[in-house]
Amino acid sequence: MAYNPGHMKWWAWGYPDADFDSHAHPGFWPFAKEQLGVEGEGFQTPPVPLEAVQLPEPNINARFLAELGSVLHPGQISDTRFERVVHAYGKGFRDLLRLRRGLAGGAPDLVVYPENEDDVVAILRAAAHHNVAVIPFGGGSNISGCVERMDTHRMAVSLDMRRMRRVLAVDVKSFTARSEAGVFGPDLEEQLAAHGMTLGHFPDSFLHSTLGGWIATRSAGMQSDKYGKIEDMVVALRVVTTDGVLATRAVPKSSNGIDPNHLCIGSEGTLGVITEATMRVHPCPESRFVPVWIFPDFASGVEAMRECVRAECTPSMMRLNDADKSALSAAFRPPSTRLSRTAGAIFKRVLRARGFRLSQACLMLTSFEGRKSNVARRLRQVGTIYRKFGAVGLGESAGKSFESTKYDFPHVRDFLFDRGVSADVSETSALWSNILPLCAVSLAALRSAISGTGAKPWAGCHIGHTYQCGANVYLTFAFAQRPGEEMEQYLKIKYAVQQSFIEHGATLSHHHAVGTEHLPWLAADISPLGVKAIAALKRGLDPGNIMNPGRLAPSDDALEIWWRAGGPGKARTTAESAALPARKIRT
């Protein structure tokens, strides 16, 4: 296996040698400055050095450590500063703000690297015996707060799964593959490709996330219109709990009561550690085509997407940007040539002649993959529907440009962070009848909340991950930071958009999971009895509350905890905490 995943930067997204190259996208920063009212280069806010990060004193359970040392070799156990810091948080806004300011209060006391399922069994047995909390860790890419230590009263261990990354068996006849759960996206696809197969799961975090992490958080990939979300791909699981191994059989369907697979999918490490998964896989596509279209307005694009679903001819991916997100995409283009500028000017004249108002035009990114004949047929069907709603094809060059940079977008947040700009996302799903009203009200809530902090707002959205009854709504927003008030500013804005989802019939998250960032809204989304059912399952499988404590279990003051966690980049005084506004979840 050639792929060897390393750790991401502890203060930002991606590997240490990977950054956003602004020279490759010369129009982006001028666009951002104009939209956000930023002058010059913005104030510079680099992260503190690793040596300056404030780490809590390790809480070491000597008996646990001794038992661990009897079953693992020394290279599997680490308590170095770097290891503790890199496992302290995921890559959410709140995570990165704290780390850049040198605050790592969520750091584990120890990091352990199991190399097989027997190691996991031994680690959890020792943890249960000695009352040590265990937090499963994949690639650390989660942006919802799923890996932060919540229990500070006992020893906490980060269980890093990256050494368990083998594809164990591929059944080409049955289109299944059995794999260890610590395998990263590129590694998994490389091993499957040797058998002519693909999982077809390509989330934005593909380079830095694992199969087990995808399953534990109900991930969605860019090609979900063809392959489904991760829960649609799971055939069987092996999950190590503190009470033993939960294992299901690799069969197409069953009638065995409540499905244990779906109890574990989305469990965020609260029930046990996913060690193996048997997944549905597909032959590698013979043909792939990535055309881009432009619609006269957002509403016509949404209707075209819905019509494709109704006609059962969806592309592998449909991603419709609204006008603001389309303008951002245009600003993200690579350097232009004289020929491309001339062609662009001609094309704009053609669009105007067809009645387009360019300020309202919306880009639709698509991909088609599979057998050549199927791709050709589906492309014709979709093209007919798109043109019915006024779309004009831009060809494949713009799609190939998107493909070449599709995993670069998370780096943009760090680029902006360095320049005093906050950027983040919130996503949800809703019924087709609610898509346009929800987009309107949530974007309005976002812009109002940003303006309320004294900043000039920018917000846009895209629609993707379509289903017969609805789709995913993905909001992106940015604003100039108020120095010293970055956390309060962000929380006010995040609260407004999450509240708008709940108040207007959408879910708290479609594929980013619950974690800490969405926990206060869980009961409003699935009902208090739904939360009670999760709690009962947790007590049954993890009575000692060993596994990732604090997740999927909102307390009565969950929103108050959410509002106060992390501070404004520095510790709060009692007076400052008392002055924070009270918040409520309205349903």
Side-chain angles (χ1 to χ4, degrees):
M1 294 181 290
Y3 187 80
N4 186 23
H7 287 300
M8 285 195 277
K9 289 173 280 193
W10 57 266
W11 73 94
W13 186 268
Y15 294 131
D17 60 349
D19 288 298
F20 174 67
D21 183 2
S22 60
H23 299 292
H25 308 277
F28 172 72
W29 180 232
F31 171 84
K33 289 196 294 184
E34 178 184 0
Q35 294 295 314
L36 301 173
V38 175
E39 297 181 1
E41 290 304 302
F43 61 87
Q44 299 298 301
T45 56
V48 303
L50 177 62
E51 296 73 23
V53 175
Q54 300 174 35
L55 274 172
E57 285 295 318
N59 181 356
I60 299 300
N61 184 314
R63 292 182 178 179
F64 168 78
L65 197 58
E67 184 171 343
L68 212 59
S70 69
V71 294
L72 304 180
H73 61 75
Q76 292 179 268
I77 305 170
S78 178
D79 63 355
T80 66
R81 168 174 285 269
F82 172 78
E83 291 279 3
R84 292 184 67 203
V85 170
V86 82
H87 289 86
Y89 300 115
K91 298 301 179 187
F93 177 91
R94 194 193 307 244
D95 301 331
L96 296 184
L97 178 60
R98 286 181 287 187
L99 285 173
R100 292 172 70 97
R101 301 296 188 266
L103 301 175
D109 302 304
L110 197 69
V111 179
V112 180
Y113 291 90
E115 296 179 350
N116 50 59
E117 186 176 276
D118 288 342
D119 285 351
V120 178
V121 170
I123 293 165
L124 295 200
R125 182 186 298 122
H129 185 214
H130 298 288
N131 191 30
V132 171
V134 176
I135 305 168
F137 191 97
S141 63
N142 181 264
I143 64 171
S144 297
C146 288
V147 298
E148 176 184 350
R149 172 189 191 160
M150 301 298 290
D151 187 338
T152 59
H153 300 294
R154 53 179 167 166
M155 185 178 182
V157 171
S158 179
L159 192 73
D160 193 309
M161 297 292 290
R162 70 186 59 230
R163 296 186 187 179
M164 295 178 60
R165 59 188 191 89
R166 297 173 301 160
V167 172
L168 301 169
V170 177
D171 184 342
V172 176
K173 191 171 185 177
S174 304
F175 302 104
T176 63
R178 182 167 63 91
S179 175
E180 292 179 315
V183 64
F184 281 69
D187 197 358
L188 175 62
E189 286 296 321
E190 178 182 298
Q191 294 181 66
L192 290 176
H195 300 270
M197 293 288 171
T198 178
L199 181 64
H201 190 73
F202 301 98
D204 289 351
S205 63
F206 176 73
L207 301 178
H208 306 289
S209 54
T210 65
L211 174 61
W214 299 340
I215 295 170
T217 58
R218 291 189 177 270
S219 171
M222 298 180 191
Q223 309 286 82
S224 71
D225 291 279
K226 176 178 176 68
Y227 299 109
K229 282 182 80 223
I230 198 70
E231 61 263 35
D232 304 312
M233 305 176 183
V234 174
V235 177
L237 292 175
R238 288 184 66 85
V239 182
V240 176
T241 76
T242 58
D243 197 35
V245 179
L246 185 158
T248 60
R249 294 190 176 194
V251 295
K253 292 290 181 181
S254 66
S255 180
N256 297 337
I258 296 173
D259 184 0
N261 282 340
H262 281 272
L263 297 180
C264 299
I265 298 168
S267 59
E268 301 185 18
T270 59
L271 304 180
V273 180
I274 300 168
T275 55
E276 284 186 20
T278 301
M279 308 296 291
R280 294 184 178 90
V281 293
H282 308 264
C284 292
E286 295 177 1
S287 178
R288 181 170 172 78
F289 196 61
V290 288
V292 174
W293 303 75
I294 187 166
F295 282 83
D297 54 53
F298 191 55
S300 58
V302 170
E303 283 304 304
M305 296 176 82
R306 192 180 68 82
E307 180 68 13
C308 286
V309 172
R310 189 195 67 79
E312 299 181 351
C313 65
T314 56
S316 304
M317 180 192 78
M318 285 193 291
R319 180 175 290 190
L320 174 69
N321 291 343
D322 73 353
D324 291 288
K325 196 77 178 287
S326 297
L328 174 62
S329 296
F332 206 77
R333 288 176 303 195
S336 59
T337 63
R338 179 178 297 178
L339 179 62
S340 65
R341 288 193 295 271
T342 300
I346 294 171
F347 186 70
K348 287 180 180 178
R349 286 200 293 270
V350 170
L351 290 178
R352 291 190 185 99
R354 293 193 179 191
F356 274 67
R357 296 179 60 183
L358 297 183
S359 62
Q360 296 180 3
C362 295
L363 284 174
M364 175 82 84
L365 307 172
T366 65
S367 69
F368 298 78
E369 64 176 48
R371 293 183 177 179
K372 291 181 181 179
S373 58
N374 290 344
V375 167
R377 183 181 68 254
R378 185 148 296 192
L379 184 60
R380 289 193 299 270
Q381 292 173 314
V382 170
T384 298
I385 291 172
Y386 283 5
R387 285 187 288 271
K388 171 184 171 182
F389 290 93
V392 175
L394 300 184
E396 203 179 10
S397 60
K400 289 181 176 179
S401 178
F402 168 77
E403 289 272 293
S404 68
T405 61
K406 62 185 177 182
Y407 300 128
D408 293 346
F409 288 105
H411 293 290
V412 174
R413 180 180 54 169
D414 302 319
F415 173 85
L416 293 173
F417 229 143
D418 287 339
R419 288 155 181 79
V421 172
S422 294
D424 202 38
V425 297
S426 282
E427 51 81 40
T428 185
S429 68
L431 298 175
W432 284 116
S433 58
N434 194 23
I435 292 289
L436 290 176
L438 179 71
C439 288
V441 73
S442 295
L443 286 169
L446 259 179
R447 291 171 179 138
S448 176
I450 295 172
S451 297
T453 70
K456 184 178 179 182
W458 183 88
C461 76
H462 71 256
I463 308 298
H465 305 294
T466 60
Y467 308 94
Q468 183 177 5
C469 60
N472 167 234
V473 175
Y474 199 104
L475 307 182
T476 304
F477 53 96
F479 49 91
Q481 295 172 357
R482 296 176 63 87
E485 301 176 13
E486 297 91 343
M487 187 65 82
E488 283 91 344
Q489 187 183 25
Y490 165 74
L491 292 177
K492 289 175 182 177
I493 294 161
K494 183 71 172 178
Y495 173 86
V497 66
Q498 290 301 133
Q499 190 63 40
S500 74
F501 292 163
I502 294 298
E503 291 181 354
H504 295 93
T507 187
L508 58 84
S509 174
H510 169 263
H511 60 265
H512 283 169
V514 180
T516 55
E517 287 304 298
H518 305 133
L519 186 61
W521 290 271
L522 184 60
D525 195 339
I526 67 172
S527 83
L529 195 58
V531 172
K532 186 177 180 180
I534 293 173
L537 181 63
K538 170 76 168 173
R539 286 193 302 272
L541 290 179
D542 183 27
N545 195 23
I546 299 299
M547 299 306 307
N548 210 3
R551 300 289 179 271
L552 302 179
S555 60
D556 291 339
D557 58 348
L559 187 57
E560 182 64 15
I561 294 171
W562 178 89
W563 180 250
R564 298 178 191 279
K570 58 183 179 67
R572 281 198 181 98
T573 65
T574 303
E576 287 173 328
S577 294
L580 290 174
R583 303 275 171 167
K584 293 182 179 180
I585 300 291
R586 302 186 304 277
T587 59

